[in-house]
C-alpha cells in the first residue's frame, strides 16, 4: 500500500469514528440526539437506573484487569533481571519545577477555598493548575532521567501535544453527545458562550501533555519499566486485524443506536478501529511490541492515565463539593453513567469508571500517532533514546 493510500485510509477511518455514531443516533432518535450541540454539554435526560447484572459483569472485567496488573506472572509475564542503575551525581530539579510549585499551590487554594475578595480569580484556576502540574511532572522526569525530559530535550513536542490535545478532546466532547452526555458541565453560566469555547479550548490543551508526562515518569522506575516487558507473544494475522476493524465499525454505529447499553464504546471503539487501521497500513502502534511479548507500552500508558485520572477527579471533586451554592469553576464536571453509578470515594466518578482511564490513555496515544502520520511530524515521545 502506497503511503498516500495509507494516509487516506487513516483519514477515512478517523472520519468514520464521528460519522457512524451520528448515523446510529439519527436512526435511533429519528433526528439528532437530546442535547446535541450544547456546549459545554448539559444533562438533558435521566439515565437508566442501576443494573446488578451490568455492574456484576463490569466488576468481573475490572477484577481480571486488576489481577493482570498486580500479578502479571500469573498470566505468563516473566521477571526481567534488573541491572543496577549507575550511581552518578544527583541531577537537580530544573528551574521550571520550582516556578511551578507556587503556581500550583495558589491555583489549588483558590479553586477550593472560595475567597470572596478574589472570587472572580477562581474562574481561571484550571489552566494554571494543570499546566503547573504538567511542568512539575516534567521536572520529576528531568531529575530521574538525568536531565532528559520533554521540556529540556523536545520543547516543540510539548507545543504539538497541546494542539493535538485540544482538538482530540473536542472530538471526545462531540462523541459524548451520542451516549447522551456521560459527563456534563453544570456551571455553564460562569462564562458567555464564546467565553466557554475559548476557555475550554485552553483547558483541553492539558490532557495529552499530562498523560505523556506520567508515562515518561513511570518509565523511569524499573519496577514499572520492566514489569510488563517479557510477557506472552501475541502476533495477529491480517484476517484478525480486518475482523477487529469491522468490530470497531459495528461498535461505533451501535454506540449511537444503543447509547445506554453501549456507552462504554466511547472509550474503546477508537482502539479497534484506529489501531487496526494503523496496523493494516503498516504503521507503528502501542500494540506493535506485543508481538515480541513487550506489553509495557500498552500497560504503562493505561496506568499513566489512571494515575493522572486520580488528580483530575480529586481536584474536580473538591472544587464544588464544599460549595454547591456558589459555582465558580466552569470546568467542573459531573457524570451521568448508566447502570454502574455506584460507590464514589472523593470523586464524581464511580469507582468502576476509573478502569475506563486505562483504555482512554490508549485512545489518546493512538489519536496522537494518527495526527503525526497525517501531518508528518515526529511522534516519538521518548527523551532517552529508547523505543517508546
Amino acid at each position: 500500500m502506497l503511503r498516500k493510500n495509507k494516509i487516506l485510509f487513516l483519514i477515512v477511518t478517523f472520519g468514520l469514528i464521528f460519522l457512524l455514531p451520528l448515523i446510529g443516533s439519527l436512526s435511533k432518535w429519528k433526528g439528532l440526539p437530546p442535547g446535541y450541540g450544547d456546549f459545554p454539554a448539559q444533562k438533558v435526560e435521566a439515565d437508566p437506573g442501576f443494573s446488578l447484572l451490568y455492574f456484576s459483569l463490569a466488576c468481573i472485567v475490572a477484577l481480571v484487569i486488576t489481577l493482570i496488573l498486580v500479578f502479571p506472572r500469573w498470566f505468563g509475564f516473566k521477571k526481567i533481571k534488573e541491572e543496577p542503575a549507575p550511581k552518578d551525581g544527583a541531577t537537580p530539579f530544573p528551574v521550571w519545577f520550582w516556578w511551578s510549585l507556587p503556581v500550583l499551590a495558589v491555583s489549588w487554594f483558590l479553586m477550593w477555598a472560595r475567597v470572596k475578595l478574589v472570587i472572580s480569580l477562581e474562574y481561571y484556576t484550571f489552566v494554571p493548575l494543570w499546566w503547573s502540574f504538567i511542568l512539575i511532572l516534567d521536572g520529576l522526569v528531568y531529575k530521574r532521567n538525568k536531565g532528559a525530559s520533554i521540556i529540556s530535550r523536545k520543547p516543540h513536542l510539548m507545543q504539538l501535544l497541546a494542539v493535538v490535545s485540544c482538538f482530540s478532546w473536542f472530538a471526545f466532547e462531540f462523541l459524548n453527545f451520542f451516549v447522551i452526555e456521560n459527563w456534563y458541565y453544570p456551571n455553564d453560566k460562569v462564562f458567555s458562550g464564546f467565553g466557554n469555547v475559548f476557555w475550554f479550548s485552553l483547558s483541553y490543551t492539558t490532557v495529552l501533555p499530562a498523560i505523556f508526562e506520567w508515562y515518561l515518569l513511570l518509565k523511569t522506575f524499573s519496577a514499572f519499566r520492566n514489569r510488563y516487558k517479557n510477557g506472552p507473544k501475541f502476533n495477529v494475522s491480517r484476517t484478525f486485524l480486518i475482523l477487529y476493524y469491522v468490530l470497531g465499525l459495528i461498535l461505533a454505529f451501535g454506540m449511537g443506536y444503543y447509547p445506554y447499553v453501549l456507552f462504554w464504546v466511547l472509550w474503546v471503539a477508537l482502539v479497534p478501529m484506529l489501531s487496526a487501521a494503523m496496523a493494516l497500513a503498516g504503521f507503528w502502534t502501542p500494540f506493535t511490541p506485543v508481538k515480541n511479548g513487550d506489553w509495557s507500552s500498552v500497560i504503562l500508558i493505561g496506568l499513566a492515565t489512571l494515575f493522572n485520572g486520580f488528580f483530575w477527579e480529586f481536584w474536580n471533586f473538591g472544587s464544588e463539593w464544599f460549595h454547591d451554592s456558589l459555582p465558580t469553576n466552569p470546568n467542573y464536571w459531573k457524570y451521568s453513567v448508566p447502570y454502574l453509578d455506584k460507590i464514589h470515594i472523593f470523586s464524581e466518578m464511580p469507582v468502576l469508571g476509573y478502569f475506563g482511564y486505562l483504555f482512554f490513555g490508549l485512545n489518546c496515544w493512538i489519536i496522537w500517532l494518527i495526527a503525526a502520520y497525517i501531518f508528518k511530524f515526529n511522534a516519538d515521545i521518548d527523551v532517552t533514546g529508547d523505543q517508546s
Side-chain angles (χ1 to χ4, degrees):
M1 189 185 292
L2 297 175
R3 179 175 175 82
K4 190 176 292 186
N5 292 337
K6 293 178 180 179
I7 296 300
L8 180 60
F9 180 49
L10 291 185
I11 293 173
V12 170
T13 302
F14 195 72
L16 288 173
I17 288 292
F18 308 101
L19 182 60
L20 288 172
L22 176 60
I23 294 173
S25 192
L26 290 172
S27 302
K28 163 73 175 180
W29 302 102
K30 310 306 179 186
L32 293 171
Y36 181 87
D38 291 341
F39 188 84
Q42 300 299 298
K43 185 176 177 65
V44 294
E45 187 170 293
D47 287 324
F50 176 75
S51 167
L52 182 59
L53 174 61
Y54 215 109
F55 185 81
S56 300
L57 291 173
C59 284
I60 292 171
V61 173
L63 177 61
V64 171
I65 292 173
T66 302
L67 290 175
I68 292 172
L69 295 177
V70 178
F71 305 105
R73 296 181 71 178
W74 292 2
F75 299 88
F77 288 85
K78 298 176 182 176
K79 189 174 183 179
I80 292 179
K81 185 178 180 181
E82 299 178 10
E83 297 293 333
K87 294 183 178 180
D88 299 331
T91 303
F93 286 108
V95 64
W96 57 87
F97 174 87
W98 298 112
W99 288 352
S100 298
L101 289 174
V103 176
L104 183 139
V106 171
S107 300
W108 185 358
F109 173 77
L110 290 176
M111 179 182 278
W112 281 23
R114 304 294 171 88
V115 180
K116 291 185 178 180
L117 186 64
V118 289
I119 199 72
S120 61
L121 292 179
E122 297 182 17
Y123 305 162
Y124 307 98
T125 53
F126 185 92
V127 173
L129 175 77
W130 272 97
W131 270 111
S132 61
F133 186 59
I134 290 165
L135 293 177
I136 289 169
L137 289 172
D138 188 86
L140 293 170
V141 173
Y142 178 97
K143 181 174 177 61
R144 293 189 57 80
N145 266 338
K146 310 219 175 283
S149 72
I150 293 178
I151 296 296
S152 67
R153 295 286 177 87
K154 299 181 178 181
H156 66 284
L157 194 69
M158 187 66 82
Q159 298 168 8
L160 286 170
L161 281 167
V163 172
V164 175
S165 178
C166 177
F167 285 100
S168 64
W169 190 254
F170 268 113
F172 275 100
E173 292 286 353
F174 176 76
L175 293 171
N176 186 34
F177 289 131
F178 304 117
V179 289
I180 319 302
E181 293 76 38
N182 276 183
W183 67 92
Y184 62 97
Y185 306 88
N187 297 346
D188 63 319
K189 304 303 181 188
V190 173
F191 293 138
S192 65
F194 174 79
N196 280 324
V197 173
F198 177 78
W199 181 249
F200 276 79
S201 297
L202 292 178
S203 303
Y204 296 164
T205 64
T206 64
V207 178
L208 264 63
I211 290 172
F212 283 125
E213 287 288 5
W214 271 107
Y215 174 77
L216 292 175
L217 182 59
L218 292 182
K219 285 187 69 177
T220 67
F221 294 91
S222 60
F224 285 107
R225 186 174 61 248
N226 297 326
R227 189 176 183 82
Y228 309 104
K229 259 196 169 179
N230 191 8
K233 296 180 180 180
F234 192 63
N235 197 5
V236 300
S237 66
R238 188 171 182 83
T239 301
F240 178 91
L241 288 173
I242 293 172
L243 293 174
Y244 197 53
Y245 182 82
V246 172
L247 173 63
L249 298 176
I250 295 170
L251 288 175
F253 173 84
M255 184 183 81
Y257 196 83
Y258 300 104
Y260 296 123
V261 175
L262 295 180
F263 76 92
W264 49 269
V265 170
L266 176 58
W267 307 108
V268 304
L270 289 174
V271 174
M273 288 184 68
L274 297 182
S275 62
M278 291 160 67
L280 286 168
F283 290 111
W284 188 91
T285 81
F287 293 99
T288 300
V290 171
K291 66 182 179 183
N292 296 319
D294 184 358
W295 294 74
S296 56
S297 294
V298 172
I299 294 178
L300 289 190
I301 194 66
L303 288 175
T305 314
L306 179 62
F307 291 165
N308 196 66
F310 168 81
F311 289 93
W312 271 327
E313 302 300 337
F314 175 67
W315 280 324
N316 179 66
F317 179 82
S319 72
E320 292 289 326
W321 182 252
F322 308 107
H323 310 279
D324 286 340
S325 61
L326 187 62
T328 60
N329 177 15
N331 298 87
Y332 174 67
W333 64 87
K334 299 189 74 171
Y335 292 98
S336 183
V337 182
Y339 310 126
L340 305 178
D341 196 7
K342 289 286 183 182
I343 311 176
H344 296 252
I345 303 175
F346 299 112
S347 172
E348 296 292 352
M349 171 81 82
V351 168
L352 280 175
Y354 280 94
F355 287 87
Y357 278 124
L358 297 168
F359 299 98
F360 175 56
L362 273 170
N363 291 340
C364 288
W365 198 349
I366 287 169
I367 291 175
W368 165 249
L369 290 170
I370 283 187
Y373 296 146
I374 292 174
F375 295 103
K376 299 179 181 179
F377 62 81
N378 187 355
D380 186 9
I381 61 172
D382 182 67
V383 292
T384 62
D386 297 331
Q387 175 65 37
S388 295

